[in-house]
Amino acid sequence: MTSPYDIDEIFPGDLAASARLPRRQSGNSPQDLAVTLLADYTLRHRSWLPSGAIVALLAEAGVSPAGARTAISRLARRGAVEGQRDGRRSSYRLTVAAATFLAVGGSAIVAPGDAQPWDGRWTLIAFSLPQEEGTLRRGLRSQLRWMGYAPLYDGLWISPHDLGEKVRARLAELTLGTLTVFRARQVELDAAIRRNPIDAWDTAGIARQYEAFIERWGPALPRTLTGVEAVRARTEVMNTYRRLPVLDPHLPARLLPPGWLREPARDLFTAVYDGLAEAAENHVRAVASRHSGGDVTGIRAHTVADLASGFR
């Protein structure tokens, strides 16, 4: 199955020819870092950033100037960013397609837990694809995981949530073989032959990811960081936290072990991400100004509340 750490699962990669965001590599790829920087500080207004500023900000994250320019060029070819020139200076911004999908993805990442009681029923999606259609199979699995489903068996994916309008619309857009969707309750069987639906998720592994996140960011919140360090820490906490809601798609509390750390992790992420927003924004604006010869408008470090609203 596709790794849940792929950016295509966090920000869907079905933009076709309009925009293809980079797949996550081990660690942080230059393209991935560039997308994160542009999203974190220019998404609301799709502001232009001088290419020199992007190169400088990536250099602060350990990317060589040549690697940064290559990343920008590849993102432009993918349709994720677009460029303009003013004399000898060039600038880039997110395309409409990329900005739209990043806003949708950001809203999903920071959405609070579902307060509605669970009715005990499961949504099941069964699909059939020829064995030779490996690429289509991986694409469909990626889409299902993005929508909060997990594989109970190879061709049977489940979710405890009802089939909402967004999921219905996305499924209607898929033309990847045959799908059957139904909603049902589990029938209790002998434990020797029964697989519990919650076992489709690695809850122990998810718990370890929450614990590691809280251990990394909990002891001393870096609210006093400024400049380069503020931007670096804010990028790191986003790149780490945004994987967690893909691993744990708001599973009902009654299915989970006691002391589940979803909300503590979300609260900690909010404290760090929002707490560093002003210092990081000031640094990004200063770097952009140095490379543009004047103030750059529209640079704003958005908050968790901005992400949750989808920038409406």
Side-chain angles (χ1 to χ4, degrees), residues 240-254:
T240 305
Y241 180 79
R242 70 184 182 185
R243 308 168 187 181
L244 297 176
V246 178
L247 294 171
D248 173 21
H250 301 299
L251 299 172
R254 67 185 251 195

Side-chain angles (χ1 to χ4, degrees), residues 36-257:
T36 299
L37 286 167
L38 286 166
D40 275 350
Y41 304 101
T42 72
L43 185 55
R44 177 179 292 276
H45 302 291
R46 290 181 55 237
S47 309
W48 295 96
L49 271 185
S51 60
I54 300 173
V55 170
L57 291 167
L58 290 176
E60 294 173 352
V63 180
S64 69
R69 295 187 184 94
T70 298
I72 296 169
S73 177
R74 288 176 176 172
L75 287 172
R77 288 200 299 271
R78 287 173 175 268
V81 301
E82 59 188 6
Q84 70 172 10
R85 293 194 67 84
D86 181 12
R88 298 181 61 183
R89 289 195 177 99
S90 59
S91 299
Y92 290 87
R93 68 177 179 181
L94 295 168
T95 61
V96 172
T100 298
F101 275 82
L102 287 164
V104 171
S107 177
I109 287 168
V110 301
D114 190 354
Q116 297 298 319
W118 183 49
D119 64 4
R121 294 189 297 165
W122 298 85
T123 299
L124 298 97
I125 298 180
F127 65 87
S128 177
L129 280 170
Q131 288 296 327
E132 60 270 19
E133 297 289 358
T135 300
L136 292 179
R137 184 183 298 274
R138 287 190 295 273
L140 177 56
R141 287 172 173 172
S142 178
Q143 289 296 310
L144 290 173
R145 187 173 293 282
W146 165 254
M147 293 185 287
Y149 289 77
L152 185 62
Y153 302 104
D154 182 52
L156 182 65
W157 287 58
I158 63 171
S159 168
H161 304 297
D162 202 353
L163 197 68
E165 289 304 315
K166 290 182 179 179
V167 176
R168 286 178 181 272
R170 188 169 289 278
L171 288 176
E173 295 170 357
L174 299 176
T175 57
L176 305 176
T178 302
L179 292 174
T180 301
V181 182
F182 47 98
R183 186 103 170 132
R185 295 182 184 275
Q186 178 188 4
V187 175
E188 293 297 334
L189 297 172
D190 189 304
I193 61 172
R194 173 176 60 87
R195 187 185 185 199
N196 194 324
I198 194 62
D199 291 341
W201 289 269
D202 179 9
T203 53
I206 297 168
R208 287 192 295 271
Q209 293 289 336
Y210 279 131
E211 291 167 0
F213 180 83
I214 291 173
E215 182 179 357
R216 164 67 180 88
W217 295 101
L221 298 181
R223 292 172 178 158
T224 59
L225 296 179
T226 59
V228 175
E229 294 303 320
V231 175
R232 184 178 297 158
R234 200 164 182 264
T235 299
E236 181 185 344
V237 76
M238 167 58 84
N239 277 346
T240 305
Y241 180 79
R242 70 184 182 185
R243 308 168 187 181
L244 297 176
V246 178
L247 294 171
D248 173 21
H250 301 299
L251 299 172
R254 67 185 251 195
L255 295 173
L256 296 167

